[in-house]
Amino acid sequence: MIYAIGDLHLDYTEEKSMEVFGDGWKNYQQRIFQNWDKLVDDGDTVLIPGDISWAMDLSKARVDLARIDRLKGKKILMRGNHDYWWASLKKLGDLKLGSLEFLQNNSLEAEGYSICGSRGWISKDSKDFDDHDLKIFNRELMRLENSLKASKNNKRIALIHYPPLNADGSLNEFFYLCKDYGVSDIIYGHLHGIGHKLIKEGEIKGVKLSCVAGDYIDFKPVRIR
């Protein structure tokens, strides 16, 4: 099976708990691990589209990443906007966490699908979107295309941390790039609390959208395929 869950926001120090954002986050780390253990088997793959650990550097993030490594299944991770610890693929590989693979300008294989992705960015119609945001937006769009081009399979799933939507709910360039490359599923997260009202899911123009932000899915990995 292929499952997905995003926005784990792990913090082994428990100094930056997400519980300040409401009762929905109560005991969220414990719930993540318990639900994972119940739902995921050793032969499954779990896609994690960003906001994985609150750590600020790789040495501290390794503790949270090791917690994920000990869980069942293979895991494919992609960077979110809060993953400040994220480093080069070489440094991430040097962690020697055998069940973890990392997406960055590359494509990875799982259950007959090529898994592609990019962090994405805030939409161009967002409030205060400026030239700096445009540079990041275009860079992430390029990274997504690099990943799609690297795919070895014509069955593709894309991970994008930010929703592939404009602020007005319309589809943005990240969505249409995925559509152009025949992506069957776009998995995203990032939206929490009142942001859930912006979530768009289901099949649109032949592409299935799924939001897997942790609090939105009650911290239970969602079966994708």
Side-chain angles (χ1 to χ4, degrees):
M1 307 294 180
I2 298 178
Y3 290 90
I5 179 171
D7 301 88
L8 305 181
H9 289 287
L10 297 181
D11 175 24
Y12 72 94
T13 69
E14 298 188 357
E15 294 176 354
K16 196 167 183 177
S17 171
M18 291 290 286
E19 293 181 25
V20 297
F21 293 104
D23 290 341
W25 288 89
K26 188 174 182 180
N27 298 322
Y28 72 98
Q29 296 190 78
Q30 180 181 0
R31 289 157 63 193
I32 289 169
F33 294 116
Q34 288 178 342
N35 290 330
W36 192 307
D37 187 59
K38 291 177 183 176
L39 294 169
V40 179
D41 290 328
D42 287 330
D44 296 335
T45 298
V46 183
L47 312 177
I48 306 178
D51 282 5
I52 300 154
S53 169
W54 277 118
M56 296 299 291
D57 62 63
L58 190 56
S59 62
K60 293 179 180 177
R62 193 188 192 288
V63 179
D64 286 328
L65 294 174
R67 296 164 75 192
I68 298 172
D69 185 48
R70 289 192 291 270
L71 294 170
K72 290 182 286 187
K74 179 175 79 171
K75 302 91 182 179
I76 294 178
L77 283 62
M78 192 193 66
R79 184 181 186 180
N81 59 303
H82 288 298
D83 293 317
Y84 298 109
W85 51 269
W86 193 275
S88 67
L89 288 180
K90 182 183 184 306
K91 289 182 178 179
L92 293 170
D94 286 345
L95 295 175
K96 305 298 184 185
L97 299 173
S99 72
L100 273 56
E101 296 184 89
F102 300 89
L103 267 179
Q104 184 168 291
N105 287 314
N106 58 348
S107 174
L108 300 167
E109 301 302 305
E111 315 303 329
Y113 285 83
S114 286
I115 311 300
C116 309
S118 157
R119 176 179 58 174
W121 198 242
I122 60 174
S123 62
K124 291 180 179 178
D125 64 340
S126 298
K127 184 180 178 181
D128 300 325
F129 187 92
D130 58 20
D131 289 342
H132 176 68
D133 291 309
L134 181 60
K135 289 180 181 178
I136 299 174
F137 187 99
N138 289 336
R139 182 182 67 202
E140 292 298 326
L141 199 62
M142 180 181 67
R143 286 177 171 171
L144 176 58
E145 185 158 25
N146 288 341
S147 180
L148 291 164
K149 286 179 176 178
S151 61
K152 300 176 182 178
N153 199 310
N154 59 9
K155 295 164 60 179
R156 301 178 182 91
I157 294 173
L159 305 184
I160 306 175
H161 177 67
Y162 284 86
L165 307 167
N166 293 313
D168 65 3
S170 60
L171 304 165
N172 71 13
E173 290 93 327
F174 288 93
F175 174 89
Y176 284 107
L177 181 60
C178 288
K179 183 178 182 299
D180 288 345
Y181 276 84
V183 167
S184 63
D185 297 78
I186 296 176
I187 314 300
Y188 69 94
H190 184 68
L191 299 174
H192 306 305
I194 61 172
H196 290 171
K197 66 182 181 181
L198 303 175
I199 289 171
K200 185 173 288 190
E201 293 190 294
E203 186 168 318
I204 304 173
K205 298 182 183 293
V207 182
K208 183 181 177 183
L209 293 182
S210 299
C211 178
V212 297
D215 57 324
Y216 178 66
I217 60 174
D218 199 26
F219 305 103
K220 297 175 183 177
V222 172
R223 182 179 167 184
I224 303 300
R225 293 287 173 181

